[in-house]
Every structure is written in structure tokens, then in C-alpha cells.
């Protein structure tokens, strides 16, 4: 009887807690909701409300007729994109450059964070971190200006080549060098900034684990493989899954400032093609169709990668 009475009282308390009104709960935690409000407004205004415009992809949208009066054309713009002679080149360039980023740009901040974590001189470590973070705050226009001063036919690199008896090389006009320049500039600009999240993950690893490993005779490499890397794995998987979702999105500004007609063969990607052919010619429905296609591919890749990650590593974003 006593056990039954205790269980009934516990169930009654749970019922009362669940019956707490939403308004009372909001008043108790109003500070948290105030902090959350800017992020909610950002996503609502810039992410969700614009999704209404996805209907343009299935219309022959005319700015004067508006959304409701524009002609409905179904999948016309999708068919037009996939039948265009440039579509294979644009899709291929987008995927290749993104794979290069996954293989080269993605591991770079992890390696930098691990190297910084090994530094014991605090002042030197802070100087290196500051220098590594600094390029993130430069615009891509400034980055291109630096690249132009270095790699143009009259730039620093070619002056050195000419000084050694060679001929000037037009680095920025060579299609075979475009992807290498894009990846190198991306790594230089973003590696330091992207390393912050991995440094935060490293700071959460208990020093007692390293002390225990040293007592057991583990070397620095063994400590890295058995303590540092497993401690970083959750952050690595989350960042990797987020990058997979952007596999069709390289960033317009980065590619556009480096792109020129001579490098279209290896550098023209979905963003630049959309801007040049779609927005430049007022084909809003065409550009919306390409954007919707990119979003669907990103969604599919995130779902597949998240499912595989959950099964293989136990880490996932949902």
C-alpha cells in the first residue's frame, strides 16, 4: 500500500509539472527566449519566408505579372538547364572543386588546431593564432588583389622567375591552375578561423587523460591517436556533415573574383553560371530552378551522410 501511495504521489507531481501553462514556463525562462529571438528572426526572415519564391521555378515568372498571373510551365526550366551544353561542365566543375575542398581545405583546420594544441609557449601560441585568424576578415576582393600582386605576369613570383632567366607565366589565366589557386586561397583565408571550433573541442579534453597516458609510457603520437583524435571526432563529424550539405555551394564571391573567360573551362560553377546566364539576362525562374536543384542535392547528401555517420560512428546532427 505504501509503495502504491508513493507511486501515485509521484505520478501526480509529474502530471502537475506537465500541466504547467506555456505562459508560466515562458515567464520563468524569458531570458533564454530573448537570447534565442535574434536567431529565430534571422532564419525566419532570410531562410523561411524567401522559400515562398520557390514557386518561380515552375513558372515563367514575369516581374510585371507577379506571382499569381505568371504562366505555369512545370519542369521547363529544369529540362532547359540539363539540356544546355554548359550544364555538364558547370556541374563537373562544382563537384570537382568541392571534392578538392573536402580533401584539402577540410583537414587543414584540424591539423592546425592539433599543432597549436601542442605549443607550450603561451605568447607564441597567441601570436600564431592571431596571424592565422587575420585573413578571415579580408574580403575576397582583397584576397584577389594579393593574389594578383603575387601571380600576375608582372607580379612578385614572375619577377623572380624572370630574374632566374625564365619566362613570365600567366598563372591567373591558365585553366589548369585555376582550381589550385582557388583551393590555396580558400585554405589561407579560412583555415585559422575554422580551427576555432576544433581548439574548443580540444580544450574540453581532460588533462588527466594525458597524465595517465604519460604514466603508462605513451608517447606523443600514441596520446594523439588514443586521446586527442577520439576527443575531436564528434566535432569533426558535425563539421563534415555540415560541409556535405554545401557540396553544391562553393560561394559566389570567391569564384567570381578569380574567374575570367579564359578559365571558364575549369572554373565556371553553378553560382557564377547562374549569375551570368540567369540574373544577368533577367531569367529569374531559371535561376530559381537551379537554386532549388542545389538545395535538393544538399538535403539528400546531408540525410545520407548523417545516416552513415550515425551507423558507423554514433555521431550525427539529428
Amino acid at each position: 500500500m505504501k509503495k502504491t501511495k508513493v507511486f501515485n504521489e509521484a505520478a501526480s507531481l509529474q502530471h502537475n509539472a506537465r500541466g504547467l501553462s506555456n505562459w508560466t514556463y515562458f515567464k520563468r525562462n524569458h531570458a533564454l527566449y530573448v537570447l534565442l529571438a535574434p536567431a529565430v528572426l534571422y532564419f525566419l526572415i532570410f531562410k523561411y519566408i524567401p522559400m515562398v519564391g520557390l514557386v518561380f521555378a515552375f513558372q515563367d515568372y514575369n516581374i510585371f505579372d507577379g506571382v499569381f498571373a505568371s504562366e505555369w510551365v512545370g519542369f521547363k526550366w529544369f529540362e532547359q538547364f540539363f539540356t544546355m551544353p554548359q550544364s555538364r561542365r558547370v556541374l563537373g566543375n562544382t563537384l570537382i572543386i568541392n571534392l578538392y575542398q573536402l580533401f584539402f581545405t577540410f583537414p587543414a583546420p584540424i591539423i592546425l588546431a592539433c599543432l597549436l594544441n601542442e605549443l607550450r609557449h603561451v605568447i607564441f601560441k597567441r601570436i600564431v593564432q592571431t596571424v592565422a585568424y587575420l585573413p578571415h576578415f579580408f574580403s575576397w576582393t582583397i584576397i584577389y588583389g594579393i593574389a594578383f600582386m603575387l601571380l600576375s605576369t608582372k607580379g612578385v613570383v614572375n619577377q623572380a622567375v624572370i630574374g632566374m632567366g625564365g619566362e613570365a607565366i600567366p598563372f591567373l589565366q591558365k585553366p589548369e591552375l585555376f582550381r589550385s589557386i582557388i583551393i590555396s586561397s580558400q585554405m589561407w583565408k579560412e583555415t585559422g578561423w575554422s580551427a576555432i571550433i576544433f581548439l574548443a573541442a580540444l580544450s574540453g579534453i581532460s588533462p588527466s587523460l594525458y597524465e595517465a597516458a604519460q604514466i603508462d609510457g605513451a608517447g606523443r603520437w600514441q596520446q594523439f591517436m588514443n586521446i586527442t583524435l577520439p576527443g575531436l571526432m564528434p566535432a569533426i563529424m558535425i563539421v563534415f556533415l555540415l560541409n556535405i550539405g554545401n557540396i553544391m555551394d562553393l560561394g559566389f564571391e570567391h569564384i567570381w573574383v578569380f574567374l575570367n573567360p579564359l578559365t571558364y573551362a575549369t572554373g565556371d560553377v553553378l553560382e557564377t553560371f547562374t549569375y551570368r546566364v540567369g540574373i544577368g539576362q533577367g531569367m529569374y525562374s531559371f535561376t530559381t530552378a537551379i537554386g532549388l536543384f542545389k538545395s535538393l542535392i544538399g538535403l539528400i547528401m546531408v540525410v545520407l551522410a548523417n545516416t552513415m555517420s550515425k551507423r558507423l560512428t554514433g555521431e550525427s546532427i539529428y
Side-chain angles (χ1 to χ4, degrees):
M1 293 293 293
K2 291 184 178 179
K3 290 184 178 180
T4 303
K5 184 177 180 180
V6 171
F7 287 145
N8 290 336
E9 290 178 354
S12 177
L13 290 173
Q14 289 181 354
H15 178 75
N16 292 335
R18 291 174 182 172
L20 190 66
S21 68
N22 292 332
W23 177 247
T24 304
Y25 185 82
F26 174 79
K27 288 195 296 184
R28 288 185 179 181
N29 302 278
H30 67 279
L32 298 178
Y33 284 100
V34 170
L35 292 174
L36 184 63
V40 172
L41 288 174
Y42 168 79
F43 281 98
L44 182 65
I45 296 172
F46 296 103
K47 301 296 181 180
Y48 285 95
I49 293 178
M51 290 178 68
V52 176
L54 291 177
V55 71
F56 295 170
F58 306 98
Q59 293 179 326
D60 187 4
Y61 176 72
N62 187 299
I63 192 171
F64 299 104
D65 294 336
V67 178
F68 300 103
S70 296
E71 181 185 358
W72 188 269
V73 295
F75 292 95
K76 170 187 173 181
W77 302 113
F78 295 93
E79 295 174 1
Q80 179 173 327
F81 171 67
F82 287 112
T83 55
M84 294 180 71
Q86 303 98 316
S87 62
R88 181 177 298 180
R89 180 194 69 191
V90 170
L91 288 172
N93 290 338
T94 303
L95 290 173
I96 290 172
I97 294 177
N98 231 314
L99 289 175
Y100 281 179
Q101 287 188 345
L102 286 177
F103 281 115
F104 297 103
T105 307
F106 176 71
I110 302 172
I111 296 171
L112 177 62
C114 293
L115 293 175
L116 289 173
N117 189 57
E118 295 296 323
L119 292 178
R120 296 295 175 260
H121 196 288
V122 178
I123 296 178
F124 180 70
K125 181 178 180 179
R126 290 177 179 174
I127 292 174
V128 172
Q129 284 179 300
T130 303
V131 173
Y133 297 163
L134 187 61
H136 170 77
F137 299 99
F138 296 161
S139 70
W140 281 114
T141 305
I142 296 175
I143 300 296
Y144 175 76
I146 295 173
F148 185 82
M149 289 189 293
L150 292 173
L151 302 176
S152 67
T153 52
K154 296 183 179 180
V156 175
V157 175
N158 273 315
Q159 291 298 321
V161 172
I162 295 172
M164 292 186 291
E167 295 183 358
I169 304 171
F171 294 100
L172 298 175
Q173 285 77 43
K174 282 186 169 291
E176 61 269 23
L177 297 178
F178 182 85
R179 293 167 182 164
S180 299
I181 294 172
I182 288 295
I183 298 302
S184 301
S185 60
Q186 175 78 17
M187 291 177 64
W188 182 71
K189 185 177 188 294
E190 299 296 345
T191 295
W193 183 259
S194 300
I196 293 176
I197 188 171
F198 300 110
L199 286 170
L202 287 170
S203 67
I205 300 176
S206 175
S208 61
L209 297 175
Y210 292 101
E211 295 171 359
Q214 290 174 356
I215 294 173
D216 290 338
R220 302 302 289 271
W221 180 250
Q222 292 175 315
Q223 293 177 36
F224 172 79
M225 293 300 297
N226 295 285
I227 300 175
T228 305
L229 190 58
L232 276 176
M233 192 54 65
I236 291 174
M237 292 308 303
I238 295 300
V239 175
F240 177 75
L241 291 173
L242 294 175
N243 286 344
I244 285 290
N246 294 323
I247 195 168
M248 302 297 288
D249 190 1
L250 294 170
F252 171 76
E253 297 88 353
H254 183 193
I255 305 294
W256 183 254
V257 295
F258 282 91
L259 191 66
N260 61 73
L262 296 176
T263 57
Y264 279 170
T266 57
D268 194 18
V269 297
L270 280 171
E271 287 91 344
T272 56
F273 177 78
T274 301
Y275 176 77
R276 194 176 67 257
V277 177
I279 298 178
Q281 299 177 13
M283 300 171 62
Y284 301 112
S285 294
F286 181 71
T287 58
T288 305
I290 296 177
L292 180 57
F293 167 72
K294 287 168 50 182
S295 300
L296 289 175
I297 295 298
L299 176 62
I300 293 170
M301 292 300 298
V302 166
V303 172
L304 292 176
N306 188 74
T307 303
M308 292 179 61
S309 174
K310 186 182 295 185
R311 291 180 179 179
L312 297 176
T313 68
E315 301 294 338
S316 63
I317 55 176
Y318 61 86

